[in-house]
Amino acid sequence: MVTASFTGFIRTILIIIAVYYLFRFLMRLFAPMLIQQMVKKAEQNFNNMNQQYNQQAQQEQYQSQSRQQSTKQMPEEKKKVGEYIDFEELD
């Protein structure tokens, strides 16, 4: 059976503190680069979405223009009520 010693406890606490400060130091070095990469990726996604939206808007505009042109070219039909039937009276 292994018993805990006071020096082992102090050593463990010092290792935890050293790892904590090393992590903080490394984050101060690499965090700006990581954030910059995330911002670039978000900007790229935004630009892609904006391009897709613009393409869809242009397609819809083109389609609406072609519909307007096709309706202008076709003569308007008169409203059909029904056929006219001439009835004759029988005696």
Side-chain angles (χ1 to χ4, degrees):
M1 183 193 267
V2 178
T3 59
S5 65
F6 184 70
T7 56
F9 176 72
I10 297 296
R11 182 175 168 219
T12 304
I13 296 294
L14 289 175
I15 290 173
I16 291 172
I17 292 171
V19 168
Y20 172 74
Y21 279 108
L22 179 66
F23 179 75
R24 281 185 57 188
F25 176 74
L26 292 176
M27 285 306 293
R28 285 189 183 186
L29 288 177
F30 295 117
M33 288 185 280
L34 293 173
I35 291 172
Q36 190 177 27
Q37 290 295 328
M38 288 179 8
V39 168
K40 282 183 183 179
K41 187 71 171 177
E43 183 181 1
Q44 217 172 29
N45 288 340
F46 176 76
N47 287 337
N48 288 341
M49 289 174 59
N50 195 17
Q51 284 177 348
Q52 289 175 355
Y53 174 76
N54 288 339
Q55 287 174 354
Q56 287 177 351
Q58 286 176 352
Q59 287 176 354
E60 289 175 5
Q61 186 179 20
Y62 176 73
Q63 289 174 354
S64 67
Q65 286 176 353
S66 65
R67 279 188 220 132
Q68 288 175 356
Q69 288 176 355
S70 66
T71 56
K72 288 179 183 176
Q73 293 171 356
M74 297 172 67
E76 294 184 20
E77 292 185 21
K78 293 184 179 179
K79 196 174 195 181
K80 290 187 178 181
V81 177
E83 285 188 29
Y84 178 73
I85 300 175
D86 188 22
F87 289 101
E88 295 181 18
E89 284 187 34
L90 298 175
D91 290 322

